[in-house]
Amino acid sequence: SHKEQIWISKNLKHRPQKQRPQKVLTVVRQPEPDAARSQGAVFYVLSMEQRPMATQMIAIASAWKEACTSENLSTVVISKGNYMVGSVTFKGPCKSPITLHIEGKLKAPVELERLSSQDGWIVFQDIDGLQVSGGGTFDGQGSAAWAKNDCRKTGKCSSLPINLRFSSVTNSKMQDVTSLNSKLFHINILNCKNLSLQHISINAPANSLNTAGIHIGRSNGVHITDADIKTGDDCVSLGDGSQQISIEKVTCGPGHGISVDTLGRYHDEQPVNGVTVRNCTLKNTMNGVRVKTWPDSPSGVASEMTFEDIIMDNVSNPILIDQKYCPYGECKAKILK
């Protein structure tokens, strides 16, 4: 292998070598593009394991900015290798559909103080026509953070960052990626429409507190297929406003099962309807399929829910409808405004 300067360009089909470009991306080995990457503008981020975290984040942010402002279909390729990155927001709207092709492993800092946001580590926001793929891994490195999670004492579990947050993302798809050892939830989907997750792997040990696999809220048309989820909380959970949700061919375990999650805790919650859970396997889980509502909750609706063709193996509570769900001894707590 050899080393050369790789520069951001609006056309990377042919690498500039002699002329002086405007912006440097990094200094690493350049892989040859394959046929799939040859269409449209392609922006590479190449492995730079020895560089400081800030440098790696600047490279990724610069490539995203160039692709997002391109008038043509664009692809950002994060090549094979390890990348240490702090909080990153891939923000739109973009001028055309965009693909984030991740081949490498993105690793979050172990230390919470090195993350600028406690809300989400990797955030996708206000994007239409996003594709995330490539076989890469988002490693939250959360084992040290789990010991600091004091949910059982305080009932407050929002102080740790979520691995992947999708906020107001539409007409998009994520496939063939792994979320590993998140500090809190692995994937959170909020205010999204027409979003598909396919061939997703989620992995954390059974003792990883509050590491829900996929949580959905106030979203319409979310489809999860062929996912393998091992974690310390619900494999999939649906909050208020989850509508037209399909969960198929999901393998869950260890974990707490598949849940319609803790409805009625807040005023003005949106109804849950059109939920289908089909052809799933749950093994060595605390629960199978579950619907849970907060005690003393206002009136609300969860309707048109279908659970069928589900295999359960060594599941403590295969089917559970709990209308007085009270975690952490908060049964006397009133609903929150």
Side-chain angles (χ1 to χ4, degrees), residues 97-129:
I98 189 167
T99 295
L100 182 62
H101 188 85
I102 301 172
E103 299 172 350
K105 176 184 280 191
L106 273 62
K107 301 171 73 173
V110 173
E111 305 87 354
L112 291 174
E113 57 271 16
R114 296 182 68 191
L115 291 166
S116 60
S117 171
Q118 298 300 300
D119 184 47
W121 170 42
I122 305 294
V123 178
F124 301 97
Q125 183 176 343
D126 300 327
I127 308 170
D128 181 65

Side-chain angles (χ1 to χ4, degrees), residues 146-207:
W146 302 330
K148 299 179 182 179
N149 192 326
D150 58 356
C151 285
R152 289 195 175 99
K153 295 180 180 178
T154 66
K156 298 178 181 180
C157 309
S158 59
S159 59
L160 299 174
I162 292 166
N163 248 21
L164 301 171
R165 179 183 288 277
F166 290 82
S167 179
S168 300
V169 174
T170 58
N171 304 314
S172 297
K173 183 177 183 178
M174 182 169 71
Q175 65 178 20
D176 301 319
V177 299
T178 296
S179 177
L180 179 66
N181 291 332
S182 178
K183 291 178 173 66
L184 197 67
F185 295 177
H186 285 268
I187 300 173
N188 188 71
I189 297 169
L190 183 65
N191 293 326
C192 294
K193 186 175 182 180
N194 191 21
L195 175 64
S196 296
L197 279 65
Q198 187 174 7
H199 299 139
I200 301 299
S201 178
I202 292 173
N203 201 332
N207 64 351

